[in-house]
Amino acid sequence: MLNMIKYELYRYSRNLSTYVTFALLIIFNIMMVGMNASEPGAQTGEHALSTFMSITDFASFAFASTGFTMIYGAWVGVYAYGEFGKGYIRNIASVSRSKIQFFVAHMAVCVVMFVIMAVISSVSAMTAAKLMIANVKFGDIIHLLQVLSMELYLHLPLAALILFVTYISRNAFVPVIVSFCLPMGLESLPLITVQNFFTKIMGEGAKEINHWLDHTSVCMNVMMIELDLYNGDSLHKYFIVSGIMLVIYSVFACLSITKKDIK
């Protein structure tokens, strides 16, 4: 297992998609801050950005805007496909002895990538905010660290889902499309259908069930967590439902790896 993870980390450090992703992330954050800073009244007056947003808020806002999630999901798909598309899978046959090892090694790299991307995203967003927003304050770094920690946890099911899509589709195009469609509401279509069904048969009694079902949506969690952290709301549904979805997607991903992939 350890040798497999070391191999994946080596491939990760030499992969062009890793550095292209970093560049896209920096560009996205600069554009995000710049677009907000260029709005009429954004610099001065009662509606100035500095009156309700701090520098650290812009770092958190990158997740709420789902741009980070799109870029991260696309990277996961492209990176994992390299195992199949460029023949790397044959080179690790003697190292990886099970489907679980293969999947866990990919997930380990996904965690490392998220941490590095979170640092780059936060630094680029905060730097851009400092340079572009007049009179903006630094903000609460502890709150930002809380957001980043929870976002890491919430992006694990996304990584497992994208890995599953990559393993089963055996191309890079499909997981990239999925990673862009999810934040745009792809998950909400079947979810709303199920919630409407419960509402019809249970009435007001379905309210609590539907609230739990909300947390089965990866990207809804990503967008909602900062507000709930700020308001001091309970996070147990995030932990429980996201953990369940992580297990489900992980099992599907492992099952989608065929024997010929690891032997």
Side-chain angles (χ1 to χ4, degrees):
M1 173 69 78
L2 186 58
N3 287 336
M4 181 66 184
I5 293 176
K6 288 180 179 178
Y7 168 82
E8 290 295 345
L9 289 173
Y10 173 78
R11 190 169 76 85
Y12 160 79
S13 66
R14 303 294 294 270
N15 199 299
L16 178 62
S17 66
T18 299
Y19 302 99
V20 171
T21 299
F22 293 157
L24 291 175
L25 191 61
I26 293 172
I27 294 171
F28 164 76
N29 279 285
I30 293 174
M31 291 178 61
M32 176 192 69
V33 176
M35 289 174 64
N36 283 276
S38 62
E39 289 290 326
Q43 300 295 340
T44 58
E46 60 178 339
H47 300 299
L49 290 174
S50 59
T51 62
F52 60 90
M53 288 191 73
S54 65
I55 290 176
T56 54
D57 286 337
F58 279 97
S60 301
F61 186 64
F63 294 100
S65 64
T66 70
F68 182 103
T69 302
M70 289 182 179
I71 296 173
Y72 176 73
W75 174 85
V76 172
V78 171
Y79 174 82
Y81 171 68
E83 218 76 81
F84 302 97
K86 297 183 180 180
Y88 291 119
I89 195 73
R90 300 170 185 171
N91 300 332
I92 61 175
S94 61
V95 180
S96 177
R97 299 179 180 179
S98 72
K99 298 179 180 182
I100 296 177
Q101 284 187 3
F102 183 72
F103 171 74
V104 170
H106 274 172
M107 284 297 291
V109 176
C110 289
V111 170
V112 172
M113 182 61 167
F114 179 91
V115 173
I116 296 176
M117 283 182 63
V119 172
I120 292 175
S121 178
S122 298
V123 171
S124 58
M126 290 191 295
T127 301
K130 179 64 177 178
L131 295 175
M132 296 182 186
I133 310 296
N135 304 316
V136 67
K137 298 179 180 178
F138 184 77
D140 187 355
I141 190 66
I142 301 300
H143 176 71
L144 176 59
L145 292 176
Q146 291 175 333
V147 171
L148 295 181
S149 298
M150 281 301 300
E151 290 291 1
L152 169 58
Y153 181 71
L154 298 176
H155 277 75
L156 292 179
L158 173 66
L161 173 59
I162 297 300
L163 287 175
F164 164 62
V165 173
T166 306
Y167 295 161
I168 201 169
S169 66
R170 302 304 169 90
N171 67 69
F173 179 75
V174 174
V176 169
I177 293 299
V178 171
S179 68
F180 278 81
C181 288
L182 288 177
M184 292 190 291
L186 184 66
E187 284 181 307
S188 66
L189 299 179
L191 177 59
I192 292 174
T193 301
V194 173
Q195 289 176 321
N196 286 338
F197 172 77
F198 280 117
T199 300
K200 288 180 180 179
I201 64 175
M202 298 179 64
E204 286 296 319
K207 187 175 181 179
E208 183 63 17
I209 294 176
N210 287 340
H211 194 211
W212 279 88
L213 286 174
D214 281 339
H215 294 282
T216 61
S217 170
V218 172
C219 292
M220 190 177 294
N221 286 338
V222 167
M223 291 185 287
M224 290 168 54
I225 186 62
E226 183 183 7
L227 180 61
D228 284 352
L229 275 170
Y230 183 81
N231 293 332
D233 295 336
S234 175
L235 304 180
H236 69 283
K237 292 177 182 177
Y238 288 98
F239 282 103
I240 295 173
V241 180
S242 293
I244 292 173
M245 301 309 295
L246 173 59
V247 171
I248 292 174
Y249 293 143
S250 297
V251 170
F252 284 161
C254 289
L255 291 176
S256 66
I257 303 170
T258 62
K259 291 183 178 180
K260 67 180 181 179
D261 292 328
I262 59 175
K263 291 184 179 180

